[in-house]
Amino acid sequence: MGSRVVAIDGPAGSGKSTTAAAVARALGMPHVESGTLYRAVTLAALDAAVPVEGPRLVALAHALPIRLDLTASGFRPEIAGTDVSEAIRTERVTAHVSAVSAIGEVRRWVNEEVRRAVARYPAGAVLDGRDIGTVVFPDALLKIYLTAAPEERARRRLRQEGRPSDPDDLGREVAELARRDGADSSRALAPLMPAPDAVLLDTSGMTLEAQVAHIVALARKAFS
Ligand code: CDP
Ligand code: CDP
């Protein structure tokens, strides 16, 4: 018997967190977004002017009162009791998060927090990230690797943030996503890649509703 987990991995802007949240709602399970913890450590490091590499950052990750707090709509990241859901989404954090997530001690800490959150839900949980199916829950009952064409992902990201999407903006966003995916895929530890037993789902021409319905159907079968 594997873990009662739906693991949704994939590159930036492929729709992981929106899809995972909707799948979790449909299944009546919590949604755990692992990227929020990497972002929270990055935010704390930038605010404390701790270099985003090296031993001081690792000490900060261990010492920080960062929590995944359960609310009615899912787990919410907090630093010292303050909701940081919005602060962790700024460009400043996004620009540095891949460097922070390449550090082994930081990854170990995130994985412990994520596994602790999931352990409270024996009936199952929906998780998204980069290495959920490969490293965090290699025995997940269902693994999805979500992709979409780079331009489509960039368009979605700009629309989501209410930013303009003329050809220049779009080109810049494509380059920014490619830079982060390149860093996440080429690092030594837990690189972004599909698990051998993941279901690959290219959502380029799909609606959000269709991909959610597809994954919910696969999950019901896998969990039955
Ligand atoms: O939502 P978006 O695709 O922008 O990213 P995210 O899921 O919030 O993740 C932010 C960053 O955290 C990624 O670019 C990775 O560097 C790192 N991450 C990771 O290494 N492993 C995970 N399981 C989740 C996120
Ligand atoms: O977590 P990740 O970075 O992979 O993506 P996200 O934060 O969920 O952002 C994806 C955006 O694309 C959201 O605004 C979705 O509503 C939208 N979208 C999608 O996920 N799937 C589609 N088929 C169409 C749009």
Side-chain angles (χ1 to χ4, degrees):
M1 256 296 275
S3 292
R4 293 181 68 83
V5 158
V6 178
I8 304 184
D9 292 305
S14 57
K16 298 178 299 298
S17 88
T18 312
T19 305
V23 168
R25 247 189 329 271
L27 295 173
M29 291 176 182
H31 167 215
V32 183
E33 203 181 345
S34 58
T36 61
L37 285 170
Y38 290 103
R39 287 177 175 275
V41 178
T42 307
L43 173 68
L46 291 170
D47 283 352
V50 169
V52 290
E53 280 171 289
R56 280 181 64 205
L57 178 71
V58 174
L60 184 72
H62 282 291
L64 267 178
I66 298 180
R67 294 274 168 276
L68 280 178
D69 183 46
L70 186 64
T71 67
S73 56
F75 284 94
R76 188 183 69 172
E78 281 189 350
I79 299 180
T82 302
D83 178 3
V84 293
S85 319
E86 282 185 18
I88 61 171
R89 297 271 147 210
T90 57
E91 271 178 52
R92 182 173 76 117
V93 171
T94 302
H96 292 99
V97 65
S98 290
V100 171
S101 70
I103 299 171
E105 291 260 354
V106 173
R107 301 203 69 82
R108 256 194 299 282
W109 174 80
V110 170
N111 292 351
E112 276 169 25
E113 291 292 314
V114 166
R115 290 188 186 117
R116 207 191 334 263
V118 169
R120 292 161 58 189
Y121 296 91
V126 183
L127 276 69
D128 78 90
R130 301 293 186 289
D131 63 341
I132 305 301
T134 51
V135 173
V136 189
F137 284 100
D139 66 341
L141 286 180
L142 178 63
K143 301 179 186 179
I144 305 288
Y145 192 83
L146 220 54
T147 58
E151 285 230 338
E152 175 61 20
R153 291 193 277 121
R155 211 171 293 120
R156 288 178 187 175
R157 188 42 57 97
L158 291 174
R159 199 178 304 134
Q160 186 184 32
E161 292 173 358
R163 284 153 60 199
S165 57
D166 64 44
D168 281 356
D169 299 306
L170 200 60
R172 265 194 299 277
E173 190 61 22
V174 167
E176 170 52 26
L177 292 181
R179 182 195 66 76
R180 193 145 58 92
D181 291 341
D184 291 342
S185 307
S186 63
R187 69 185 174 217
L189 290 169
L192 167 66
M193 63 166 149
D197 52 346
V199 176
L200 303 186
L201 192 59
D202 185 334
T203 68
S204 302
M206 283 177 97
T207 63
L208 181 62
E209 292 70 25
Q211 74 218 26
V212 169
H214 184 63
I215 297 171
V216 167
L218 291 177
R220 292 215 161 104
K221 210 156 112 198
F223 282 30
S224 65

